[in-house]
Amino acid sequence: MPSYPFCCPAGLCFEIGDEGITMETEASVNDDSALCVTAVEGGDSEATAARETLADLGSAVSNGGDTDDGKETVDLKIIWNKNKYDLKIALDGTGAILKERIHSLTGLPPAMQKVMYKGLLPEDKTLREIKVTNGAKIMVVGSTINDVLAVNTPKEVMQQEVKAEENKKEPLCRQKQHRKVLDKGKPEDIMPSVKGVKERLPTVPLSGMYNKSGGKVRLTFKLEQDQLWIGTKERTEKIPMGSIKNVVTEPIEGHEDYHMMAFQLGPTEASQYWVYWVPAQFVDAIKDTVLGKWQYF
């Protein structure tokens, strides 16, 4: 029966007959003159089937200029940290694959990337599914591990350190927040002080001092209960000594035989409880007792 040739873009020769389509010979992919099939002349249906089969084989091998290893691709513009990167990627690749490719371009780990394209780009969907188009701009937000390590101090802590550094430029007793108490003068019923001498804590509460609001305050050290009692006219606060983070003291200018003292009850300076006109001879004993160096009586 007569036959007619067809070019086969797959690089193979086939014979189409009553048994179906069978491979006849292998040809070189680079030799287009050797690419053909022999089809039995039977009718329009057989010829049409042969052409459709060859078209399917051809599309499986090549998509023309839009292919990369047989896959349809898109060209993207990756924008991160004021830098722009060109990226060619398969359209059927997922968001997770895109993150891996961004990692190879920028060094930014996938776990630290926030990829934006018409909203947050999902990792489990393909670029085709979320309708990423050729030439699309992909915004990336995130910091490298080195960037994170470089900024190892929270903003609030930095601000506190700056404020503390500024406060060091002048004595505490000159600062406005303390002057309003100190300007009231030394309390009349304050305990006597001895400058240049260190004494153990007395067996009675330290009394006659002021707190930050200018009210009278007394300090009672309950060693058997490991507590500091801070008493005012209104109430008495029973504070476990182990919860006190620090004790800050400074001599009062012009009255160096008395100190101003702060018990830090929380993690920041905002939790400091200030006591004014503490007799100087008891300052070291108070610090040692509260911070863990016990005094034996």
Side-chain angles (χ1 to χ4, degrees):
M1 296 173 61
S3 61
Y4 50 88
F6 288 88
C7 290
C8 174
L12 303 172
C13 289
F14 293 83
E15 180 180 356
I16 302 176
D18 294 335
E19 300 295 329
I21 301 175
T22 59
M23 185 168 61
E24 185 180 51
T25 62
E26 244 187 271
S28 170
V29 176
N30 297 322
D31 188 0
D32 292 338
S33 62
L35 305 181
C36 64
V37 295
T38 302
V40 178
E41 187 179 45
D44 291 341
S45 61
E46 288 84 350
T48 300
R51 291 188 180 92
E52 291 175 351
T53 300
L54 295 174
D56 291 341
L57 288 170
S59 63
V61 175
S62 174
N63 283 318
D66 294 331
T67 62
D68 181 15
D69 295 330
K71 298 179 181 179
E72 187 177 359
T73 62
V74 286
D75 293 317
L76 305 178
K77 184 74 70 176
I78 307 298
I79 303 174
W80 171 70
N81 201 20
K82 298 182 180 180
N83 295 316
K84 296 181 180 179
Y85 305 86
D86 293 321
L87 175 63
K88 188 172 187 177
I89 188 171
L91 193 57
D92 289 317
T94 62
I97 293 175
L98 175 59
K99 283 191 169 186
E100 291 291 345
R101 296 290 299 277
I102 293 174
H103 179 207
S104 65
L105 284 175
T106 64
L108 183 62
M112 304 181 74
Q113 296 177 23
K114 183 178 288 186
V115 182
M116 311 294 293
Y117 177 75
K118 297 180 180 179
L120 189 63
L121 187 140
E123 292 190 10
D124 57 342
K125 292 188 177 182
T126 66
L127 304 186
R128 189 189 300 276
E129 288 176 320
I130 59 180
K131 296 179 171 51
V132 174
T133 58
N134 198 50
K137 293 182 179 180
I138 306 295
M139 304 296 297
V140 180
V141 179
S143 301
T144 64
I145 294 176
N146 289 337
D147 292 336
V148 173
L149 293 177
V151 187
N152 56 9
T153 306
K155 182 178 179 182
E156 294 79 6
V157 176
M158 291 180 64
Q159 290 175 342
Q160 289 179 6
E161 289 180 351
V162 171
K163 184 177 180 180
E165 194 65 31
E166 291 176 349
N167 290 341
K168 288 180 181 178
K169 297 178 182 178
E170 61 178 349
L172 291 170
C173 60
R174 294 185 187 177
Q175 295 176 18
K176 184 178 180 180
Q177 59 175 324
H178 303 299
R179 286 277 13 133
K180 63 182 182 181
V181 179
L182 294 174
D183 286 347
K184 294 177 64 174
K186 185 166 58 175
E188 294 180 358
D189 56 346
I190 192 67
M191 296 179 69
S193 65
V194 182
K195 185 178 179 181
V197 175
K198 295 181 181 180
E199 295 184 4
R200 295 176 178 179
L201 290 176
T203 56
V204 297
L206 297 177
S207 60
M209 300 167 290
Y210 288 140
N211 59 19
K212 197 171 183 178
S213 62
K216 287 294 184 68
V217 63
R218 65 184 177 276
L219 301 177
T220 305
F221 297 88
K222 294 289 184 176
L223 301 184
E224 68 281 0
Q225 299 176 35
D226 194 25
Q227 292 180 346
L228 168 62
W229 291 10
I230 301 178
T232 62
K233 185 178 179 180
E234 293 78 19
R235 62 182 181 275
T236 297
E237 298 286 348
K238 300 179 180 181
I239 304 169
M241 292 189 191
S243 68
I244 300 175
K245 309 300 181 183
N246 195 18
V247 178
V248 178
T249 66
E250 181 182 287
I252 297 174
E253 199 171 51
H255 300 273
E256 284 75 12
D257 50 339
Y258 288 95
H259 282 227
M260 49 189 294
M261 177 178 290
F263 300 98
Q264 187 170 322
L265 307 181
T268 66
E269 292 184 1
S271 63
Q272 290 178 336
Y273 188 97
W274 284 96
V275 178
Y276 305 87
W277 303 101
V278 178
Q281 69 269 27
F282 300 130
V283 168
D284 286 342
I286 292 173
K287 293 174 69 175
D288 290 344
T289 300
V290 171
L291 299 179
K293 184 178 179 181
W294 292 97
Q295 302 289 322
Y296 295 94
F297 303 96

